[in-house]
Amino acid sequence: MARLLLPLPIAAAAASASSLHLAASRLRLPVVSSSVARREVLFGGRVAARAPVRLARRGVSAGAEAGGSAAAAAQVIGQEEAMEWVKKDRRRMLHVVYRVGDLDKTIKFYTECLGMKLLRKRDIPEERYTNAFLGYGPEDSHFVVELTYNYGVESYDIGTGFGHFGIAVEDVAKTVDLIKAKGGTVTREPGPVKGGNSVIAFIEDPDGYKFELIERGPTPEPLCQVMLRVGDLDRAINFYEKAFGMELLRKRDNPQYKYTIAMMGYGPEDKNAVLELTYNYGVKEYDKGNAYAQIAISTDDVYKTAEVIRQNGGQITREPGPLPGINTKITACTDPDGWKTVFVDNVDFLKELEE
């Protein structure tokens, strides 16, 4: 999915959020009747106008504003149908996208130190960027990394919001010894996690991205976590459950170290990649930098996906529809903390892999 991430130079990358918002505002239909018509097509026609929804969120009766209880019931039914559809939608985390300053050096580190395989590489000289996809298995069944190298950009700001990627290994100490032998940076030696018993270690790749090595038995999904920091954990959990259809797999508070984590995903942690949300006591905002980009998730219908995200307070930054030139249908959004996600049509994604 090389085209899911625009190849931005460092200055443009810093301004990407505002440009995406402008693009979305130009694409969004400006009149309520068009929005209602779109929602009727998506969810069987049992919806109300969007203005009462906004009022209801502020504690005003949607039924009173829309002309009675029938209108209020229609809105509730529409939302319930949307939620049921999300639960049935075939979703999984496809890949995580981020920028690197030396693609060949990063590929060498991931393959020699982390045991990944280079799955494919694509250069787009007319747009001055190159993509490389690496992971522990085929893209049609595994969560992988998508590295983006923008011509001439050698470094990026990772910021304070991105946390780390997680990799499950059978022997953390042995993996750390290998990484040290290859000249890699170990930032935390192997040992039990704070407040728990799992054996972990932390390392850094050549661009400074952190990887948590987690000692586990054999797993079908070694690339198992993406950790992002959020300013309101309950708000984030609610959004990912309702808008993304994820399940809260577990939640753990660590008052001694003043943080709480929540694991969200589409299946058990030992068999699927998951999103780890971290809340540090009292910290409401983070600097996102311009290095980490987004996660891509599969869906059966990008149009319904976008509407459900809107219903649950997400912001659509790329209206649903096909990408110019390759016709893969996508939609993009940001969560309440500003983290970006791209949803990709299941059928189109598999077609793209075949090309």
Side-chain angles (χ1 to χ4, degrees):
M1 300 301 296
R3 301 192 184 217
L4 296 187
L5 172 64
L6 298 177
L8 301 175
I10 191 165
S16 62
S18 60
S19 64
L20 282 168
H21 293 318
L22 289 172
S25 65
R26 289 196 294 269
L27 287 167
R28 187 170 298 163
L29 298 175
V31 292
V32 172
S33 59
S34 299
S35 175
V36 171
R38 182 181 67 248
R39 288 157 63 90
E40 289 174 345
V41 171
L42 293 177
F43 302 118
R46 296 192 295 272
V47 296
R50 296 183 69 178
V53 178
R54 290 194 294 269
L55 290 169
R57 285 176 185 155
R58 293 197 296 267
V60 180
S61 168
E65 294 295 328
S69 59
Q75 178 59 45
V76 171
I77 292 172
Q79 290 179 339
E80 287 179 350
E81 286 184 339
M83 290 299 298
E84 285 302 314
W85 177 81
V86 167
K87 294 176 183 178
K88 297 175 182 177
D89 191 22
R90 294 178 300 161
R91 296 187 176 185
R92 72 175 182 90
M93 291 168 62
L94 299 176
H95 50 252
V96 59
V97 187
Y98 51 103
R99 304 171 179 91
V100 298
D102 187 328
L103 189 59
D104 291 336
K105 185 177 181 180
T106 303
I107 291 172
K108 181 179 176 66
F109 181 84
Y110 286 11
T111 55
E112 294 185 359
C113 295
L114 300 180
M116 293 186 188
K117 295 179 181 179
L118 176 61
L119 303 172
R120 60 185 170 114
K121 186 177 179 182
R122 178 161 58 186
D123 186 39
I124 314 294
E126 64 271 20
E127 297 183 31
R128 297 181 57 78
Y129 75 98
T130 305
N131 284 126
F133 295 77
L134 297 98
Y136 296 99
E139 290 179 64
D140 61 0
S141 58
H142 288 73
F143 185 55
V144 306
V145 299
E146 177 182 342
L147 306 177
T148 296
Y149 168 69
N150 292 298
Y151 290 10
V153 184
E154 297 181 353
S155 64
Y156 294 93
D157 175 20
I158 294 177
T160 59
F162 170 78
H164 61 260
F165 305 112
I167 296 180
V169 300
E170 294 188 40
D171 190 325
V172 168
K174 184 177 180 180
T175 304
V176 166
D177 288 342
L178 172 63
I179 292 169
K180 287 180 177 178
K182 296 287 186 178
T185 301
V186 177
T187 59
R188 184 201 190 276
E189 293 291 335
V193 65
K194 292 178 179 179
N197 298 316
S198 300
V199 176
I200 66 167
F202 276 92
I203 63 151
E204 285 186 3
D205 76 358
D207 289 273
Y209 292 101
K210 288 183 171 59
F211 283 79
E212 180 183 12
L213 305 179
I214 306 165
E215 193 159 281
R216 286 182 186 169
T219 173
E221 195 71 280
L223 182 60
C224 58
Q225 289 180 7
V226 177
M227 192 275 260
L228 302 174
R229 299 181 175 95
V230 298
D232 185 327
L233 188 58
D234 290 336
R235 179 186 65 181
I237 290 171
N238 182 67
F239 177 81
Y240 280 96
E241 284 181 326
K242 293 182 178 179
F244 283 22
M246 288 186 176
E247 179 185 354
L248 174 60
L249 302 171
R250 63 186 172 98
K251 184 178 179 182
R252 188 181 73 215
D253 185 35
N254 295 276
Q256 180 180 357
Y257 302 103
K258 296 184 178 181
Y259 75 92
T260 307
I261 64 168
M263 298 300 210
M264 312 288 299
Y266 296 109
E269 290 180 64
D270 60 343
K271 297 180 180 179
N272 299 271
V274 300
L275 181 63
E276 178 182 347
L277 303 176
T278 297
Y279 169 68
N280 292 298
Y281 290 10
V283 183
K284 299 297 183 182
E285 295 183 359
Y286 293 93
D287 172 18
K288 293 179 178 59
N290 61 2
Y292 173 85
Q294 64 208 24
I295 290 174
I297 297 175
S298 63
T299 177
D300 288 329
D301 192 320
V302 298
Y303 301 94
K304 288 183 180 179
T305 293
E307 193 57 40
V308 174
I309 290 168
R310 284 192 181 98
Q311 286 184 2
N312 289 282
Q315 182 165 2
I316 299 299
T317 57
R318 203 279 185 189
E319 290 291 329
L323 286 168
I326 60 174
N327 294 321
T328 297
K329 292 184 287 295
I330 72 165
T331 190
C333 70
T334 54
D335 74 1
D337 289 274
W339 294 114
K340 184 180 176 184
T341 301
V342 172
F343 284 86
V344 188
D345 180 88
N346 274 313
V347 174
D348 293 348
F349 176 68
L350 294 178
K351 286 181 180 178
E352 193 171 331
L353 292 180
E354 294 171 356
E355 295 177 356

